[in-house]
Amino acid sequence: MTDARIFEDLKADHDRHRELLKAIAGAEGDKRAALFEDFRIEVTAHAAAEEESLYATMLGKPELRDEARHSVSEHKEIDDFFGEMLELETGSPEWQAKFDEMRHRYEHHIDEEEEEMFPAAAEALSEIEQARLGNIFEDRKPKELEAAEDAQPGDDRD
């Protein structure tokens, strides 16, 4: 039996992200700003932990390398959206347009991961690798959450 915990953890995060996006879309004012900050921190930590666990391993496998590179570039794109959105007033039409675009891109990204990348990685990675990646992700995520709370988009963190 495959230890799919890494994929279960990532999918659980994605489900939380989808719920936060819905909540942000339905909120206004300070509530919207607070929810967006929660989303930014959560996604930033998720992306870093995912890159340090699953993507780092995928990059070492020729058959998975292109998918990992593509996903890393999409993480950067979302981080760029965060930086742009923080420069705008949360209630402004410009912010709303940027949010709508970011939401579309992010939901596309996580759907693509779940439908294409995770199955390919599950097939290519051994049970031992998957278990190790689950441990790495679960260890890194809380540390990345702490770092993301202190960082602004585009900051270079070690």
Side-chain angles (χ1 to χ4, degrees):
M1 183 169 147
T2 301
D3 184 345
R5 192 174 77 240
I6 181 64
F7 304 113
E8 292 165 3
D9 288 347
L10 295 170
K11 173 81 167 74
D13 276 4
H14 292 170
D15 290 343
R16 252 190 323 279
H17 300 165
R18 288 179 180 102
E19 289 303 314
L20 274 169
L21 286 167
K22 285 181 197 170
I24 293 165
E28 295 180 2
D30 291 344
K31 179 70 172 168
R32 175 180 270 189
L35 286 168
F36 176 71
E37 182 62 5
D38 290 347
F39 177 77
R40 183 193 68 79
I41 290 167
E42 171 63 30
V43 169
T44 300
H46 167 90
E50 185 176 44
E51 288 173 12
E52 293 168 19
S53 58
L54 181 61
Y55 292 0
T57 300
M58 289 177 66
L59 287 167
K61 302 215 177 259
E63 69 274 21
L64 299 174
R65 189 171 296 140
D66 287 344
E67 288 185 69
R69 285 180 178 152
H70 175 73
S71 288
V72 168
S73 73
E74 289 183 340
H75 283 182
K76 171 71 170 100
E77 179 183 27
I78 298 302
D79 191 59
D80 290 346
F81 273 109
F82 291 161
E84 293 170 19
M85 293 172 74
L86 288 173
E87 298 291 321
L88 301 170
E89 185 63 39
T90 308
S92 71
E94 295 84 6
W95 189 93
Q96 183 63 52
K98 194 63 72 173
F99 171 77
D100 291 342
E101 186 180 359
M102 180 276 299
R103 181 179 182 180
H104 173 77
R105 296 293 302 144
Y106 186 70
E107 287 177 336
H108 168 79
H109 166 73
I110 60 179
D111 288 346
E112 191 174 61
E113 282 187 333
E114 292 171 6
E115 294 166 11
E116 299 171 23
M117 188 173 72
F118 293 174
E123 188 174 310
L125 300 172
S126 71
E127 290 181 31
I128 292 169
E129 286 174 307
Q130 290 180 44
R132 181 180 62 81
L133 297 177
N135 290 335
I136 293 169
F137 181 82
E138 290 170 1
D139 179 63
R140 290 303 313 163
K141 177 85 184 288
K143 295 171 185 171
E144 294 298 338
L145 278 168
E146 191 174 308
E149 288 175 0
D150 297 332
Q152 291 298 311
D155 283 354
D156 288 331
R157 295 184 286 129
D158 292 326

